[in-house]
Amino acid sequence: MQVSPSLLSANFANLEGDMEWLNRSECDYLHLDVMDGVFVPNISFGFPVLKHVARICHKPLDVHLMIVQPEKFINEVKALGAYYMNVHVEACPHLHRVVSQIREAGMHPAVTLNPSTPVCMLEDIIGDVDMVLLMSVNPGFGGQKFIEHTYDKIRQLRQLIDSKGSKAKIEIDGGVSLKNAKQLAEAGADVLVAGSAVFGADDPETVIREMKK
Ligand code: DX5
Ligand code: ZN
């Protein structure tokens, strides 16, 4: 299991302090939630902030864009040195073009589904992406309750990936903790995003290590 702690729950008054243990930890990525107040009802941080985070974080960056027209920011995400660029299916009427542009920019394209968007929406794109992010809460805020229907969606997505011979990983985001990590792994998840469960813990490094098991 891979783990991608979400910066949204970090201490924004001391990001260097958080990056110190995060760089030392066994986590696989740093998950960055960009929000625009339009696609989701909240605003988080933007590229001027992330530029500095990218400088002090030594983990590969997993950038989750909860914004309209994410294709406008491919160059900005690339400039961060991002590993994954995640765009929402609901935000991209020309998803194939956006995914191709992300790949051409040298990043790994990933697509995200809101809880109400069915897995079948991915049928014609699954062969072109390196990861699918299933939202297990409605995006916009950390610390929300995990939506149980996500387990069914993971199983459906695993079937779709296998039937199309895709290599896409399955990432889960929202309400993930040590309480449901094992069940998510059993359902077929490859990467767990965790905000409050990691940054809110007394010993985040141990939580990450346990989650990876
Ligand atoms: C929610 C974000 C998540 C968020 C998860 O819109 O996409 O990445 O940080 O937070 P937790 O793990 O606290 O639910
Ligand atoms: Zn996220």
Side-chain angles (χ1 to χ4, degrees):
M1 179 61 74
Q2 295 192 306
V3 175
S4 188
S6 168
L7 189 78
L8 195 60
S9 296
N11 177 1
F12 294 137
N14 184 13
L15 286 175
E16 281 190 323
D18 277 343
M19 285 311 120
E20 209 180 290
W21 61 256
L22 191 125
N23 285 333
R24 196 174 57 215
S25 81
E26 292 176 22
C27 77
D28 299 275
Y29 310 97
L30 175 64
H31 185 84
L32 301 173
D33 290 302
V34 180
M35 304 181 190
D36 64 357
V38 178
F39 183 70
V40 288
N42 196 9
I43 295 176
S44 54
F45 36 72
F47 297 105
V49 174
L50 293 184
K51 195 173 80 182
H52 295 285
V53 172
R55 190 169 47 78
I56 58 175
C57 176
H58 304 145
K59 301 285 182 177
L61 303 178
D62 167 27
V63 181
H64 177 195
L65 297 173
M66 284 162 274
I67 63 174
V68 298
Q69 300 183 322
E71 66 277 6
K72 283 188 177 170
F73 296 95
I74 291 175
N75 287 338
E76 279 80 354
V77 179
K78 182 189 162 85
L80 295 176
Y83 188 81
Y84 287 115
M85 177 167 166
N86 268 293
V87 297
H88 271 257
V89 168
E90 303 85 1
C92 297
H94 306 290
L95 188 60
H96 183 270
R97 177 185 292 146
V98 180
V99 162
S100 307
Q101 287 171 338
I102 294 171
R103 176 95 57 204
E104 279 160 24
M107 294 178 283
H108 293 271
V111 292
T112 306
L113 292 187
N114 276 335
S116 62
T117 306
V119 168
C120 64
M121 291 294 285
L122 300 172
E123 269 179 30
D124 294 337
I125 199 73
I126 194 71
D128 300 304
V129 297
D130 292 340
M131 188 160 75
V132 174
L133 171 52
L134 294 180
M135 286 307 306
S136 40
V137 298
N138 287 292
F141 304 92
Q144 301 183 82
K145 193 174 170 294
F146 180 85
I147 296 171
E148 297 289 319
H149 176 57
T150 310
Y151 294 116
D152 289 337
K153 285 179 83 168
I154 298 173
R155 287 186 277 267
Q156 289 168 22
L157 178 55
R158 179 56 64 200
Q159 264 188 358
L160 178 67
I161 287 171
D162 292 347
S163 73
K164 301 272 186 183
S166 158
K167 295 261 186 316
K169 284 185 184 169
I170 301 179
E171 181 176 45
I172 308 302
D173 185 7
V176 173
S177 70
L178 283 179
K179 286 197 186 110
N180 53 18
K182 185 162 182 273
Q183 214 177 329
L184 288 165
E186 283 166 2
D190 302 300
V191 186
L192 299 180
V193 176
S196 41
V198 167
F199 285 90
D202 292 336
D203 183 357
E205 286 181 73
T206 303
V207 172
I208 290 168
R209 198 175 311 121
E210 290 295 312
M211 223 171 240
K212 282 184 69 69
K213 288 184 194 161

